[in-house]
Amino acid sequence: NLVTIPEGWRLTQIDEFLAEKKIIEKGELLKIASADEGYLFPDTYRFALNTTPEEIRSAMIDNFNKKTDDMKISTQDIIISSIVEREAKFDEDRAKIAGVYLNRLAQGMKLEADPTVQYAKGSWEPIKVSDYTSVQSPYNTYLHVGLSPGPICNPGLKSIEAVLHPEKSDYLYFFHTTDGHAVYSKTLEEHRANLKSS
C-alpha cells in the first residue's frame, strides 16, 4: 500500500490515517513513537497491511536521517521547523517566518506562535484569543518564554532548510492576511497598524 504522509501532520494524525488505511490498529503508533514527534519524515511510503508499528516508526525515522544526513540539525532547529511548517502557507514565507522566531528567541521575547497552542489543545482548529491564557501547557508559547518542549508536528525539508538558512531581517511580528500571505513588521506599533489596515 502506498501512503502519503503530508508535511505538518502530528503523530496523532499519522496514527489515525494509518489506522483508516487498515495498516495498524488505532493507537499503536502513538504508543511507541510519542517521543519521535518531529522526526517522522513526511513522505510517500509503501507499507504492507501487516507492517508493524515498529517497522513504520523505523522507516520514517530512517528516512528523516537519510534526508537530513548532511545538515547539522539540533533539536531546537526541528522545534522551530515544526512551528514554521504550521505557520507558513507559502514557500516564500518559510525563511522569513523562521527569521522572525529566531529574532524573538535572541531577544528573549515569547514566540507567541498559535500552532503551539493548537498542539496543546490537540487539534489544528483555529484558536480563540482566550486560549492564549487559558490553555495551561508547557507548549503554550504565549505563556512561556522560549521554545516549546518538543516539536509540534513533523516538518518537511523546506521548513527545516528555512530554519537552517533563515532570512535575516529586523522583523519581530507577522500575521497572515485572508489569502494566507504573511505581513511582517519590526515594531508592535507597526504590527498593530498593519493589522488595522489589512
Side-chain angles (χ1 to χ4, degrees), residues 52-158:
T52 67
E54 288 77 11
E55 287 166 335
I56 291 169
R57 174 180 175 266
S58 291
M60 296 185 81
I61 293 174
D62 289 349
N63 194 11
F64 174 91
N65 292 333
K66 200 163 69 206
K67 291 284 198 320
T68 59
D69 188 32
D70 53 349
M71 305 175 179
K72 290 190 169 50
I73 302 181
S74 65
T75 308
Q76 168 172 316
D77 294 332
I78 294 300
I79 294 173
I80 301 170
S81 303
S82 72
I83 298 173
V84 169
E85 186 65 67
R86 294 300 317 178
E87 284 281 20
K89 310 286 186 279
F90 296 97
D91 287 347
E92 65 264 23
D93 281 322
R94 290 180 205 272
K96 283 186 188 150
I97 290 174
V100 170
Y101 285 132
L102 289 164
N103 288 346
R104 287 185 151 239
L105 278 177
Q107 295 200 15
M109 291 172 70
K110 288 180 182 150
L111 289 187
E112 299 192 344
D114 287 10
T116 63
V117 183
Q118 292 170 316
Y119 185 81
K121 287 185 76 179
S123 141
W124 298 125
E125 293 297 310
I127 55 177
K128 303 188 290 292
V129 174
S130 60
D131 291 336
Y132 295 152
T133 49
S134 68
V135 176
Q136 295 296 320
S137 164
Y139 280 87
N140 184 346
T141 55
Y142 281 84
L143 293 180
H144 302 281
V145 177
L147 295 171
S148 52
I152 57 163
C153 75
N154 295 282
L157 225 40
K158 284 178 178 168

Side-chain angles (χ1 to χ4, degrees), residues 26-68:
K26 192 170 185 302
E28 283 189 336
L29 192 61
L30 275 181
K31 272 192 211 115
I32 61 160
S34 60
D36 306 308
E37 190 86 86
Y39 300 90
L40 301 167
F41 197 77
D43 207 340
T44 297
Y45 295 88
R46 189 179 290 282
F47 293 137
L49 289 181
N50 58 352
T51 308
T52 67
E54 288 77 11
E55 287 166 335
I56 291 169
R57 174 180 175 266
S58 291
M60 296 185 81
I61 293 174
D62 289 349
N63 194 11
F64 174 91
N65 292 333
K66 200 163 69 206
K67 291 284 198 320
T68 59

